Amino acid sequence: MMTQCSRIILCLCLLVTQGCSTVTPKTLQGLDDSISQAIVVHPVKKNSNQANLSVWQRQGNGWYRLLFTSAVIGRNGLAAAGQKKEGDGKTPSGIYPLGPTFGYAPWIDTGLLYRQATDIDFWVDDARSMQYNQWVKGTPAANSFEKMKRMDNLYQYGIVIGYNVHPIVRGAGSAIFMHVWRKVNSPTSGCVAMNQRCLRKILHWLKAKDQPVIILE
């Protein structure tokens, strides 16, 4: 018979039950009481683009880890606080809200607002454009943008990381998402990417009422 701590689901990730012993990251203790869901992403070593990702749920006065898995971040690692720049290949450090979610299907199983990405949906990364760091439907008024419905399916499932949004600072970085990775050792241009099955578990878990955040440290 398996013990509580041995009941795990493997999908290139570990689903850890509430009874398992884990060390709660100090950053979680400083979060506002209104926040009950958090994802923590930490590079495996300084300047690495390989990272560990853990998923945490607040219950009462404590935080409980639900998921631990591998992830990849920007090819040049994490940017120091306030130092993220457009095109630097780094993932911004800090604490950011999550949502909306997005993907190619008309609907997915998630507790956050969902937006379908179609062939006429784009995200603007041109720092000179008035539409910088915004999702645009139809041809953007910009010289540089990316398709939200990609041929390589990296955005088949995704979550917008609320970086550089209130206010939008031109040139400070754009289009920071959680999305499906290309492969386990393939870094991103600044996003957080992971195994599709684990990402879908996270999408199912997320609840708007819990005001989920991501901690990049």
Side-chain angles (χ1 to χ4, degrees):
M1 179 180 296
M2 293 191 296
T3 65
Q4 186 177 23
C5 283
S6 66
R7 290 196 294 269
I8 58 176
I9 298 174
L10 292 177
C11 65
L12 290 179
C13 61
L14 300 176
L15 184 62
V16 185
T17 61
Q18 177 177 319
C20 296
S21 177
T22 57
V23 177
T24 303
K26 292 182 179 180
T27 315
L28 293 177
Q29 306 304 324
L31 293 178
D32 189 87
D33 290 343
S34 64
I35 297 171
S36 296
Q37 292 184 326
I39 296 172
V40 179
V41 180
H42 188 73
V44 297
K45 60 182 180 180
K46 187 177 181 179
N47 299 323
S48 176
N49 51 45
Q50 305 295 304
N52 293 321
L53 182 151
S54 54
V55 172
W56 298 81
Q57 181 77 46
R58 189 200 297 267
Q59 293 185 4
N61 295 324
W63 286 91
Y64 297 90
R65 193 177 75 179
L66 305 179
L67 183 76
F68 182 80
T69 187
S70 297
V72 292
I73 58 174
R75 60 183 178 275
N76 293 320
L78 276 183
Q83 298 301 306
K84 168 66 182 171
K85 302 297 181 184
E86 185 68 44
D88 63 4
K90 294 183 178 182
T91 299
S93 57
I95 302 174
Y96 306 102
L98 289 173
T101 62
F102 61 91
Y104 300 169
W107 174 90
I108 65 170
D109 183 12
T110 183
L112 290 187
L113 179 68
Y114 175 75
R115 185 169 182 178
Q116 183 181 17
T118 71
D119 291 329
I120 59 170
D121 289 295
F122 306 90
W123 198 286
V124 176
D125 56 16
D126 179 1
R128 295 169 295 180
S129 172
M130 294 295 292
Q131 296 174 326
Y132 179 64
N133 199 30
Q134 296 177 58
W135 182 316
V136 175
K137 184 173 288 291
T139 304
N143 292 323
S144 179
F145 47 85
E146 65 171 309
K147 293 181 178 180
M148 293 303 292
K149 189 172 184 181
R150 298 170 57 116
M151 295 297 292
D152 56 14
N153 288 332
L154 297 187
Y155 290 174
Q156 184 174 1
Y157 299 96
I159 308 166
V160 175
I161 295 174
Y163 168 75
N164 192 24
V165 291
H166 301 298
I168 296 173
V169 178
R170 296 190 194 182
S174 62
I176 306 299
F177 312 134
M178 291 182 66
H179 63 76
V180 179
W181 63 18
R182 193 179 304 278
K183 54 186 177 181
V184 67
N185 60 350
S186 181
T188 71
S189 295
C191 295
V192 176
M194 60 188 301
N195 169 271
Q196 184 188 121
R197 290 186 182 180
C198 294
L199 180 56
R200 292 180 69 180
K201 289 179 183 294
I202 290 173
L203 286 164
H204 172 74
W205 164 77
L206 289 168
K207 300 292 184 291
K209 67 179 180 60
D210 289 338
Q211 300 186 40
V213 297
I214 188 168
I215 301 170
L216 302 162
E217 60 180 8

